[in-house]
Amino acid sequence: MKILFIGDIVGQPGVDLVVAQVQALRDRYGADAVVANGENMNLSGPHPPTGFGMLPAQIEALLGAGVDVITSGNHAWDGPECAEALMHPRVLRPLNAPDRWYGRGVISIPVAGQTVTVVNVADESAIPEVSPAYAAFAALDLPAGPVIVDYHGDLVGRKFGFAFAVDGKASAVLGTHTHEPTVQAHRLPQGTGFVAEVGMTGPLGGVLGSEPGYFAALARGHDQADLPSAGLADGPVVLGAVLLDLDDAGSAREIRRIGVEHDYAMTI
């Protein structure tokens, strides 16, 4: 089984790229399912509460184009229509967020004659209020079949620790949130595939898909309250994505990082 995972989609340009390319990517790589992190789809400026999150129209566009499940992270609850967005049955937010927050953190869907489960977790570097990610995962009653985990957090060491903790229980642990892709792919001793950061799907030329002036001013010591909001960067739009090739037991055979115009394989 092959599963395409698309990293943090940033702004409408990122949405447009996925909508335009996802079916061609499915066909080219033989992907049986597509999972995409969409928490930054609404990024356009100003900053929260209206500048991040996911709009229902964007969700429908992605699902209509060929995405099967949309994951998210700390910005899931931002935006003017977050409640409606998070109530969509194919949209996830981190499982270990407080129960009173909108949304769900796990979904199982039929794929190629099997049941694929997607789990979304985060750590406190992304969402201070979350409970421990491993405990939330371990408490799940997972059906038989591949399990794909979107781990949303800043700290690479935490992502590694979680991946080793669920080694053999999850088919893959794929890091999101930092937007800058890590090159190395790993096959852990019990067969779990791991990439610390998938990377963003959005515009280059700035900081995490946003124009750089806001972040440079913060680095110079300016008061955040005095700064104008950051809009989208104006560079070329890139695809951050990973293709998983799973064996019949749900273990990762290969992780291939792919782009719209280039790809390179990391066999594990």
Side-chain angles (χ1 to χ4, degrees), residues 26-52:
R26 290 187 75 128
D27 294 343
R28 178 179 178 184
Y29 295 107
D32 298 295
V34 178
V35 180
N37 186 298
E39 69 153 1
N40 295 296
M41 292 195 295
N42 190 36
L43 175 60
S44 59
H47 276 312
T50 59
F52 287 101

PDB file of all heavy atoms in Angstrom, residues 26-52:
ATOM      1  N   ARG A  26      -1.241  11.212  -7.290  1.00  0.00           N
ATOM      2  CA  ARG A  26      -1.801   9.878  -6.993  1.00  0.00           C
ATOM      3  C   ARG A  26      -1.536   8.928  -8.151  1.00  0.00           C
ATOM      4  O   ARG A  26      -1.123   7.777  -7.954  1.00  0.00           O
ATOM      5  CB  ARG A  26      -3.300   9.972  -6.725  1.00  0.00           C
ATOM      6  CG  ARG A  26      -3.696  10.650  -5.441  1.00  0.00           C
ATOM      7  CD  ARG A  26      -5.197  10.543  -5.188  1.00  0.00           C
ATOM      8  NE  ARG A  26      -5.540   9.208  -4.757  1.00  0.00           N
ATOM      9  CZ  ARG A  26      -6.254   8.928  -3.667  1.00  0.00           C
ATOM     10  NH1 ARG A  26      -6.709   9.901  -2.888  1.00  0.00           N
ATOM     11  NH2 ARG A  26      -6.514   7.682  -3.342  1.00  0.00           N
ATOM     12  N   ASP A  27      -1.763   9.411  -9.352  1.00  0.00           N
ATOM     13  CA  ASP A  27      -1.577   8.568 -10.523  1.00  0.00           C
ATOM     14  C   ASP A  27      -0.102   8.235 -10.744  1.00  0.00           C
ATOM     15  O   ASP A  27       0.254   7.083 -11.016  1.00  0.00           O
ATOM     16  CB  ASP A  27      -2.137   9.269 -11.764  1.00  0.00           C
ATOM     17  CG  ASP A  27      -3.650   9.437 -11.722  1.00  0.00           C
ATOM     18  OD1 ASP A  27      -4.306   8.751 -10.913  1.00  0.00           O
ATOM     19  OD2 ASP A  27      -4.169  10.286 -12.474  1.00  0.00           O
ATOM     20  N   ARG A  28       0.747   9.228 -10.614  1.00  0.00           N
ATOM     21  CA  ARG A  28       2.168   9.022 -10.891  1.00  0.00           C
ATOM     22  C   ARG A  28       2.804   8.041  -9.926  1.00  0.00           C
ATOM     23  O   ARG A  28       3.603   7.183 -10.323  1.00  0.00           O
ATOM     24  CB  ARG A  28       2.899  10.357 -10.824  1.00  0.00           C
ATOM     25  CG  ARG A  28       4.404  10.243 -11.050  1.00  0.00           C
ATOM     26  CD  ARG A  28       5.093  11.589 -10.996  1.00  0.00           C
ATOM     27  NE  ARG A  28       6.526  11.449 -11.175  1.00  0.00           N
ATOM     28  CZ  ARG A  28       7.384  12.462 -11.100  1.00  0.00           C
ATOM     29  NH1 ARG A  28       6.948  13.696 -10.863  1.00  0.00           N
ATOM     30  NH2 ARG A  28       8.682  12.248 -11.269  1.00  0.00           N
ATOM     31  N   TYR A  29       2.456   8.160  -8.634  1.00  0.00           N
ATOM     32  CA  TYR A  29       3.110   7.346  -7.617  1.00  0.00           C
ATOM     33  C   TYR A  29       2.257   6.169  -7.142  1.00  0.00           C
ATOM     34  O   TYR A  29       2.675   5.422  -6.262  1.00  0.00           O
ATOM     35  CB  TYR A  29       3.493   8.225  -6.419  1.00  0.00           C
ATOM     36  CG  TYR A  29       4.530   9.252  -6.781  1.00  0.00           C
ATOM     37  CD1 TYR A  29       4.193  10.588  -6.910  1.00  0.00           C
ATOM     38  CD2 TYR A  29       5.855   8.877  -7.023  1.00  0.00           C
ATOM     39  CE1 TYR A  29       5.141  11.538  -7.251  1.00  0.00           C
ATOM     40  CE2 TYR A  29       6.808   9.819  -7.369  1.00  0.00           C
ATOM     41  CZ  TYR A  29       6.446  11.146  -7.477  1.00  0.00           C
ATOM     42  OH  TYR A  29       7.394  12.077  -7.818  1.00  0.00           O
ATOM     43  N   GLY A  30       1.079   5.996  -7.711  1.00  0.00           N
ATOM     44  CA  GLY A  30       0.234   4.885  -7.325  1.00  0.00           C
ATOM     45  C   GLY A  30      -0.258   4.970  -5.900  1.00  0.00           C
ATOM     46  O   GLY A  30      -0.424   3.936  -5.231  1.00  0.00           O
ATOM     47  N   ALA A  31      -0.509   6.172  -5.418  1.00  0.00           N
ATOM     48  CA  ALA A  31      -0.938   6.358  -4.031  1.00  0.00           C
ATOM     49  C   ALA A  31      -2.361   5.862  -3.836  1.00  0.00           C
ATOM     50  O   ALA A  31      -3.269   6.205  -4.593  1.00  0.00           O
ATOM     51  CB  ALA A  31      -0.843   7.829  -3.639  1.00  0.00           C
ATOM     52  N   ASP A  32      -2.546   5.047  -2.804  1.00  0.00           N
ATOM     53  CA  ASP A  32      -3.872   4.531  -2.475  1.00  0.00           C
ATOM     54  C   ASP A  32      -4.662   5.498  -1.600  1.00  0.00           C
ATOM     55  O   ASP A  32      -5.894   5.429  -1.558  1.00  0.00           O
ATOM     56  CB  ASP A  32      -3.738   3.192  -1.746  1.00  0.00           C
ATOM     57  CG  ASP A  32      -3.074   2.134  -2.612  1.00  0.00           C
ATOM     58  OD1 ASP A  32      -3.681   1.758  -3.627  1.00  0.00           O
ATOM     59  OD2 ASP A  32      -1.954   1.705  -2.279  1.00  0.00           O
ATOM     60  N   ALA A  33      -3.970   6.373  -0.886  1.00  0.00           N
ATOM     61  CA  ALA A  33      -4.636   7.353  -0.027  1.00  0.00           C
ATOM     62  C   ALA A  33      -3.736   8.563   0.120  1.00  0.00           C
ATOM     63  O   ALA A  33      -2.502   8.473  -0.017  1.00  0.00           O
ATOM     64  CB  ALA A  33      -4.956   6.762   1.347  1.00  0.00           C
ATOM     65  N   VAL A  34      -4.353   9.711   0.417  1.00  0.00           N
ATOM     66  CA  VAL A  34      -3.622  10.967   0.610  1.00  0.00           C
ATOM     67  C   VAL A  34      -4.075  11.607   1.909  1.00  0.00           C
ATOM     68  O   VAL A  34      -5.276  11.778   2.154  1.00  0.00           O
ATOM     69  CB  VAL A  34      -3.860  11.949  -0.560  1.00  0.00           C
ATOM     70  CG1 VAL A  34      -3.123  13.267  -0.308  1.00  0.00           C
ATOM     71  CG2 VAL A  34      -3.423  11.337  -1.875  1.00  0.00           C
ATOM     72  N   VAL A  35      -3.092  11.970   2.738  1.00  0.00           N
ATOM     73  CA  VAL A  35      -3.329  12.695   3.981  1.00  0.00           C
ATOM     74  C   VAL A  35      -2.587  14.027   3.869  1.00  0.00           C
ATOM     75  O   VAL A  35      -1.452  14.067   3.389  1.00  0.00           O
ATOM     76  CB  VAL A  35      -2.819  11.907   5.204  1.00  0.00           C
ATOM     77  CG1 VAL A  35      -3.073  12.685   6.495  1.00  0.00           C
ATOM     78  CG2 VAL A  35      -3.469  10.532   5.261  1.00  0.00           C
ATOM     79  N   ALA A  36      -3.203  15.120   4.295  1.00  0.00           N
ATOM     80  CA  ALA A  36      -2.574  16.440   4.201  1.00  0.00           C
ATOM     81  C   ALA A  36      -2.825  17.227   5.475  1.00  0.00           C
ATOM     82  O   ALA A  36      -3.942  17.218   6.013  1.00  0.00           O
ATOM     83  CB  ALA A  36      -3.112  17.212   3.001  1.00  0.00           C
ATOM     84  N   ASN A  37      -1.787  17.915   5.956  1.00  0.00           N
ATOM     85  CA  ASN A  37      -1.957  18.807   7.100  1.00  0.00           C
ATOM     86  C   ASN A  37      -2.385  20.176   6.586  1.00  0.00           C
ATOM     87  O   ASN A  37      -1.698  20.787   5.769  1.00  0.00           O
ATOM     88  CB  ASN A  37      -0.651  18.921   7.894  1.00  0.00           C
ATOM     89  CG  ASN A  37      -0.825  19.721   9.174  1.00  0.00           C
ATOM     90  OD1 ASN A  37      -1.166  20.903   9.144  1.00  0.00           O
ATOM     91  ND2 ASN A  37      -0.598  19.084  10.302  1.00  0.00           N
ATOM     92  N   GLY A  38      -3.544  20.673   7.079  1.00  0.00           N
ATOM     93  CA  GLY A  38      -4.108  21.897   6.528  1.00  0.00           C
ATOM     94  C   GLY A  38      -4.257  23.048   7.494  1.00  0.00           C
ATOM     95  O   GLY A  38      -4.994  23.993   7.194  1.00  0.00           O
ATOM     96  N   GLU A  39      -3.551  23.025   8.621  1.00  0.00           N
ATOM     97  CA  GLU A  39      -3.851  24.009   9.663  1.00  0.00           C
ATOM     98  C   GLU A  39      -3.537  25.457   9.276  1.00  0.00           C
ATOM     99  O   GLU A  39      -4.061  26.372   9.898  1.00  0.00           O
ATOM    100  CB  GLU A  39      -3.113  23.657  10.954  1.00  0.00           C
ATOM    101  CG  GLU A  39      -1.610  23.827  10.864  1.00  0.00           C
ATOM    102  CD  GLU A  39      -0.988  24.114  12.218  1.00  0.00           C
ATOM    103  OE1 GLU A  39      -1.716  24.163  13.219  1.00  0.00           O
ATOM    104  OE2 GLU A  39       0.241  24.312  12.258  1.00  0.00           O
ATOM    105  N   ASN A  40      -2.699  25.659   8.283  1.00  0.00           N
ATOM    106  CA  ASN A  40      -2.328  27.020   7.870  1.00  0.00           C
ATOM    107  C   ASN A  40      -2.959  27.431   6.542  1.00  0.00           C
ATOM    108  O   ASN A  40      -2.517  28.395   5.916  1.00  0.00           O
ATOM    109  CB  ASN A  40      -0.801  27.136   7.743  1.00  0.00           C
ATOM    110  CG  ASN A  40      -0.095  26.961   9.053  1.00  0.00           C
ATOM    111  OD1 ASN A  40      -0.260  27.751   9.973  1.00  0.00           O
ATOM    112  ND2 ASN A  40       0.703  25.916   9.160  1.00  0.00           N
ATOM    113  N   MET A  41      -3.989  26.730   6.104  1.00  0.00           N
ATOM    114  CA  MET A  41      -4.556  27.007   4.783  1.00  0.00           C
ATOM    115  C   MET A  41      -5.106  28.421   4.652  1.00  0.00           C
ATOM    116  O   MET A  41      -5.096  29.004   3.580  1.00  0.00           O
ATOM    117  CB  MET A  41      -5.668  26.013   4.468  1.00  0.00           C
ATOM    118  CG  MET A  41      -5.193  24.599   4.263  1.00  0.00           C
ATOM    119  SD  MET A  41      -6.436  23.549   3.472  1.00  0.00           S
ATOM    120  CE  MET A  41      -7.730  23.495   4.717  1.00  0.00           C
ATOM    121  N   ASN A  42      -5.612  28.967   5.752  1.00  0.00           N
ATOM    122  CA  ASN A  42      -6.243  30.288   5.702  1.00  0.00           C
ATOM    123  C   ASN A  42      -5.258  31.420   5.921  1.00  0.00           C
ATOM    124  O   ASN A  42      -5.659  32.579   6.036  1.00  0.00           O
ATOM    125  CB  ASN A  42      -7.368  30.362   6.743  1.00  0.00           C
ATOM    126  CG  ASN A  42      -8.229  31.601   6.614  1.00  0.00           C
ATOM    127  OD1 ASN A  42      -8.490  32.064   5.508  1.00  0.00           O
ATOM    128  ND2 ASN A  42      -8.665  32.154   7.729  1.00  0.00           N
ATOM    129  N   LEU A  43      -3.961  31.112   6.001  1.00  0.00           N
ATOM    130  CA  LEU A  43      -2.975  32.161   6.249  1.00  0.00           C
ATOM    131  C   LEU A  43      -2.965  33.158   5.104  1.00  0.00           C
ATOM    132  O   LEU A  43      -2.726  32.820   3.955  1.00  0.00           O
ATOM    133  CB  LEU A  43      -1.579  31.565   6.410  1.00  0.00           C
ATOM    134  CG  LEU A  43      -0.436  32.564   6.563  1.00  0.00           C
ATOM    135  CD1 LEU A  43      -0.641  33.429   7.797  1.00  0.00           C
ATOM    136  CD2 LEU A  43       0.909  31.865   6.636  1.00  0.00           C
ATOM    137  N   SER A  44      -3.231  34.400   5.428  1.00  0.00           N
ATOM    138  CA  SER A  44      -3.156  35.460   4.434  1.00  0.00           C
ATOM    139  C   SER A  44      -2.848  36.788   5.096  1.00  0.00           C
ATOM    140  O   SER A  44      -2.630  37.783   4.415  1.00  0.00           O
ATOM    141  CB  SER A  44      -4.482  35.576   3.662  1.00  0.00           C
ATOM    142  OG  SER A  44      -5.543  35.839   4.545  1.00  0.00           O
ATOM    143  N   GLY A  45      -2.816  36.814   6.457  1.00  0.00           N
ATOM    144  CA  GLY A  45      -2.730  38.055   7.198  1.00  0.00           C
ATOM    145  C   GLY A  45      -4.135  38.605   7.366  1.00  0.00           C
ATOM    146  O   GLY A  45      -4.959  38.487   6.470  1.00  0.00           O
ATOM    147  N   PRO A  46      -4.486  39.166   8.499  1.00  0.00           N
ATOM    148  CA  PRO A  46      -3.645  39.324   9.682  1.00  0.00           C
ATOM    149  C   PRO A  46      -3.488  38.032  10.466  1.00  0.00           C
ATOM    150  O   PRO A  46      -4.049  37.006  10.092  1.00  0.00           O
ATOM    151  CB  PRO A  46      -4.419  40.350  10.517  1.00  0.00           C
ATOM    152  CG  PRO A  46      -5.848  40.085  10.161  1.00  0.00           C
ATOM    153  CD  PRO A  46      -5.846  39.715   8.699  1.00  0.00           C
ATOM    154  N   HIS A  47      -2.734  38.126  11.557  1.00  0.00           N
ATOM    155  CA  HIS A  47      -2.510  36.972  12.416  1.00  0.00           C
ATOM    156  C   HIS A  47      -3.791  36.588  13.147  1.00  0.00           C
ATOM    157  O   HIS A  47      -4.805  37.276  13.060  1.00  0.00           O
ATOM    158  CB  HIS A  47      -1.381  37.277  13.395  1.00  0.00           C
ATOM    159  CG  HIS A  47      -0.023  37.025  12.801  1.00  0.00           C
ATOM    160  ND1 HIS A  47       0.283  35.861  12.137  1.00  0.00           N
ATOM    161  CD2 HIS A  47       1.095  37.773  12.763  1.00  0.00           C
ATOM    162  CE1 HIS A  47       1.532  35.903  11.723  1.00  0.00           C
ATOM    163  NE2 HIS A  47       2.043  37.058  12.084  1.00  0.00           N
ATOM    164  N   PRO A  48      -3.789  35.495  13.912  1.00  0.00           N
ATOM    165  CA  PRO A  48      -5.003  35.022  14.591  1.00  0.00           C
ATOM    166  C   PRO A  48      -5.740  36.147  15.282  1.00  0.00           C
ATOM    167  O   PRO A  48      -5.125  37.115  15.713  1.00  0.00           O
ATOM    168  CB  PRO A  48      -4.455  34.009  15.600  1.00  0.00           C
ATOM    169  CG  PRO A  48      -3.183  33.521  14.977  1.00  0.00           C
ATOM    170  CD  PRO A  48      -2.622  34.711  14.238  1.00  0.00           C
ATOM    171  N   PRO A  49      -7.087  36.045  15.400  1.00  0.00           N
ATOM    172  CA  PRO A  49      -7.853  34.822  15.179  1.00  0.00           C
ATOM    173  C   PRO A  49      -8.315  34.595  13.736  1.00  0.00           C
ATOM    174  O   PRO A  49      -8.933  33.589  13.456  1.00  0.00           O
ATOM    175  CB  PRO A  49      -9.071  35.029  16.079  1.00  0.00           C
ATOM    176  CG  PRO A  49      -9.285  36.503  16.061  1.00  0.00           C
ATOM    177  CD  PRO A  49      -7.910  37.106  16.035  1.00  0.00           C
ATOM    178  N   THR A  50      -8.053  35.507  12.808  1.00  0.00           N
ATOM    179  CA  THR A  50      -8.600  35.320  11.463  1.00  0.00           C
ATOM    180  C   THR A  50      -7.558  34.918  10.433  1.00  0.00           C
ATOM    181  O   THR A  50      -7.900  34.669   9.284  1.00  0.00           O
ATOM    182  CB  THR A  50      -9.269  36.628  10.986  1.00  0.00           C
ATOM    183  OG1 THR A  50      -8.287  37.679  10.989  1.00  0.00           O
ATOM    184  CG2 THR A  50     -10.409  37.025  11.899  1.00  0.00           C
ATOM    185  N   GLY A  51      -6.280  34.826  10.804  1.00  0.00           N
ATOM    186  CA  GLY A  51      -5.252  34.645   9.795  1.00  0.00           C
ATOM    187  C   GLY A  51      -4.757  33.241   9.590  1.00  0.00           C
ATOM    188  O   GLY A  51      -3.962  33.008   8.695  1.00  0.00           O
ATOM    189  N   PHE A  52      -5.165  32.284  10.421  1.00  0.00           N
ATOM    190  CA  PHE A  52      -4.704  30.914  10.261  1.00  0.00           C
ATOM    191  C   PHE A  52      -5.924  29.995  10.180  1.00  0.00           C
ATOM    192  O   PHE A  52      -7.013  30.415   9.863  1.00  0.00           O
ATOM    193  CB  PHE A  52      -3.807  30.504  11.440  1.00  0.00           C
ATOM    194  CG  PHE A  52      -2.446  31.132  11.412  1.00  0.00           C
ATOM    195  CD1 PHE A  52      -2.156  32.219  12.220  1.00  0.00           C
ATOM    196  CD2 PHE A  52      -1.452  30.624  10.603  1.00  0.00           C
ATOM    197  CE1 PHE A  52      -0.896  32.795  12.215  1.00  0.00           C
ATOM    198  CE2 PHE A  52      -0.186  31.188  10.591  1.00  0.00           C
ATOM    199  CZ  PHE A  52       0.093  32.281  11.400  1.00  0.00           C
TER     200      PHE A  52
END
